[in-house]
Amino acid sequence: MTTDRRLALWAGIFYLGTFITSFPALALKTPLLAGEAEPGLAAWGLVLEITLAFTCVGTAVAILPIARRVSETLAVGFVTSRVIEAGVILSGVLAVLALIEVGGASPTAPALVALHDAAFLLGPAFMSSINAFLLGTIMLRGRLVPRVIPIIGLIGAPLLLLSSYGVVLGAWEQTGIVGSMAAVPIALWELSLGLWLIVKGVRVPEAASTAAAEAVAARR
């Protein structure tokens, strides 16, 4: 198996890992955040969310050697964006850990819930839109995967970004109809990219193909 194929496979596995961990994590945390005494469920949700942070970084690290052949700037930007996202996710984990410790009846509980909600907005919403723009541009420019996959991400990125600003301005809730619908294209982009990377891998970037052809010609 070539290096590119292995890297693409791991990137795809990490992308699917974000799906496997993120949705159950939110479901397990929700009762505690809503004021119900469910610390056990929330603790399991945090286990998944910590794993989610690791998979976020893993996607960027795995794809970096391939992405930088298309654009060094965008590739480094994607790694940076993913690391920031992971950090924000972990800040939400800290808030819920503190909430478990103090209990839902504590005077500090509302502040901890608000901190978690803010982290949930900045991480899975704002940073996900930036991630999609950066990696989607790389995938489209380098023709690493079928064009339809990054196009979905590049359409979804501004939609999710605008929706996130709407949440900040109080126009709607992040988990409401508008916020949820705006997140669908990004979810579809990440799922389709993860599956494609696992099954098919990536095409050799044009720049790398040209350089290889020139090297062969020079040796003749």
Side-chain angles (χ1 to χ4, degrees), residues 5 21 63 77 79 84 93 96 100-101 104 112 128 188 210 214:
R5 184 69 187 93
T21 55
I63 207 70
V79 173
I84 292 174
V93 170
V96 179
I100 292 174
E101 289 297 321
L112 293 173
S128 289
L188 182 58
T210 302
E214 291 176 350

Side-chain angles (χ1 to χ4, degrees), residues 53-133:
F54 293 152
T55 59
C56 284
V57 177
T59 59
V61 172
I63 207 70
L64 175 62
I66 298 172
R68 71 192 317 168
R69 298 179 203 154
V70 178
S71 172
E72 181 83 19
T73 301
L74 292 175
V76 173
F78 178 62
V79 173
T80 304
S81 177
R82 271 303 208 185
V83 170
I84 292 174
E85 180 184 3
V88 173
I89 289 171
L90 291 177
S91 69
V93 170
L94 290 175
V96 179
L97 277 173
L99 182 60
I100 292 174
E101 289 297 321
V102 302
S106 169
T108 61
L112 293 173
V113 172
L115 178 59
H116 166 271
D117 292 346
F120 186 65
L121 175 62
L122 291 177
F126 272 106
M127 296 313 302
S128 289
S129 62
I130 302 301
N131 294 335
F133 171 75

Side-chain angles (χ1 to χ4, degrees), residues 44-220:
W44 279 108
L46 295 183
V47 169
L48 292 177
E49 198 145 49
I50 293 169
T51 307
L52 168 62
F54 293 152
T55 59
C56 284
V57 177
T59 59
V61 172
I63 207 70
L64 175 62
I66 298 172
R68 71 192 317 168
R69 298 179 203 154
V70 178
S71 172
E72 181 83 19
T73 301
L74 292 175
V76 173
F78 178 62
V79 173
T80 304
S81 177
R82 271 303 208 185
V83 170
I84 292 174
E85 180 184 3
V88 173
I89 289 171
L90 291 177
S91 69
V93 170
L94 290 175
V96 179
L97 277 173
L99 182 60
I100 292 174
E101 289 297 321
V102 302
S106 169
T108 61
L112 293 173
V113 172
L115 178 59
H116 166 271
D117 292 346
F120 186 65
L121 175 62
L122 291 177
F126 272 106
M127 296 313 302
S128 289
S129 62
I130 302 301
N131 294 335
F133 171 75
L134 293 170
L135 187 57
T137 301
I138 291 170
M139 291 291 173
L140 186 63
R141 184 183 297 180
R143 299 181 182 179
L144 302 179
V145 297
R147 291 169 60 88
V148 65
I149 297 177
I151 286 174
I152 293 173
L154 292 173
I155 291 174
L159 290 177
L160 183 57
L161 186 63
L162 290 174
S163 172
S164 300
Y165 277 116
V167 174
V168 171
L169 295 173
W172 47 73
E173 297 291 330
Q174 183 180 359
T175 55
I177 296 177
V178 175
S180 298
M181 292 299 294
V184 169
I186 292 297
L188 182 58
W189 137 257
E190 293 189 349
L191 178 61
S192 59
L193 178 63
L195 291 172
W196 186 271
L197 291 176
I198 289 174
V199 176
K200 294 290 187 179
V202 294
R203 300 167 181 166
V204 178
E206 284 190 343
S209 298
T210 302
E214 291 176 350
V216 171
R219 289 196 295 268
R220 289 178 177 176

